[in-house]
Amino acid sequence: MITPEQQAQLEKLMRHALSLAGHGPITGGNPQVGCVLVDATGQIVAEGWHHGAGTPHAEVDALAKLGAGDVDASELGGSATGTGVRHVAAGLTAVVTLEPCNHHGRTGPCAQALLDAGVSRVVYAVPDPGPDSGGGAERLRDGGVEVIAGIARAEAEEFLHSWLTATRLQRPHVTVKWASTLDGRAAAADGTSQWITGTAARQHVHEQRARADAIVVGTGTVLADDPSLTARGDAGELLEWQPQPVVLGRREIPADAQLRQHPEKLRQIDGSDLDAALSELFEAGIRRVFVEGGPTIASAFIAAGLADELLIYLAPKLLGGPQVALGELGVSTMAEAKDLSITELRPLGNDVLIVARPATETRA
Ligand code: AOF
Ligand code: ZN
């Protein structure tokens, strides 16, 4: 049992570990994880975070900074058998945002690295739902380490929302975005749709693209709008991370389509089976998908119960007419309406961003 004071101190340390986690990339398939090592007096002696897929995990990154000259991250991360035991962290507590992993992936199991380093206590926020990677807490307990789970769990779950969703459901987390007028139109009667929202909202969209592993559009949008689907900064420059462009549908993408100039390889998938399309993307390592339309594709994801988050950019304009932002959702009566809860409401220039999630859980 821990006292309320200890609980409060661990929550504070966990929040710090979460802020460290945020230094790592949200893209690339791996979770953002942070770790602090504290001594018996509660002083932080080392900090670490995960710098992206293929690099050492947060725990190993922190252990490597302990100043034990002869220990390097690769050695710690690769130590699964207890060879190279050094007890560099004897008596320390590791505060880590995600349950230490228990598997040999691209690096070794962190639970074993923590055991080898001799930590006496491990505190984590969220259990790892991964079928292979989970179970680190048990391994640590079996090794005689005190383990405290669930500190600041709600905050950490919110922080890791998309990765946890993808790992639990074994399909990418799906964000569906659209921009519309206040009366829900995404284009004028003649089909013109540029520009519904202003620059602040459009810049926000670019930032969201840069936080996704893939951007998904339908062939209809490619043929109608010829989008480039790159993530760009204020001055039109390409941002560092570019999501992979994915086109759903069977119609041919023209040879001179702007999408063909995208820095990442264009992927086209038959869009008639969204489950199969998402499986293919998950297999390819994609964990965050940003669906940018048009209305047919957006509606299909929502109707299928596969939209985990909606980003709706509303412009203070009215268009009326037939070009609605969403089409058929399989809803024929009020009782079947898709209920949402709004998680964020933010002015962006003259426009408004609404972030919403389905009121009930989405499906695998
Ligand atoms: C991370 N960073 O700090 C922690 C992770 O392919 P690997 O070997 O990098 O393993 C990735 C898995 O390891 C990941 O899906 C998660 O379950 C677990 N923990 N991963 O990328 C970290 N602690
Ligand atoms: Zn790990």
Side-chain angles (χ1 to χ4, degrees), residues 57-60 99-103 107-111:
H57 290 180
E59 301 89 322
V60 170
E99 177 186 10
C101 69
N102 192 31
H103 74 308
T107 64
C110 292

Side-chain angles (χ1 to χ4, degrees), residues 316-332:
K317 291 183 170 73
L318 300 171
L319 279 169
Q323 307 266 21
V324 286
L326 292 179
E328 189 48 60
L329 293 182
V331 173
S332 52

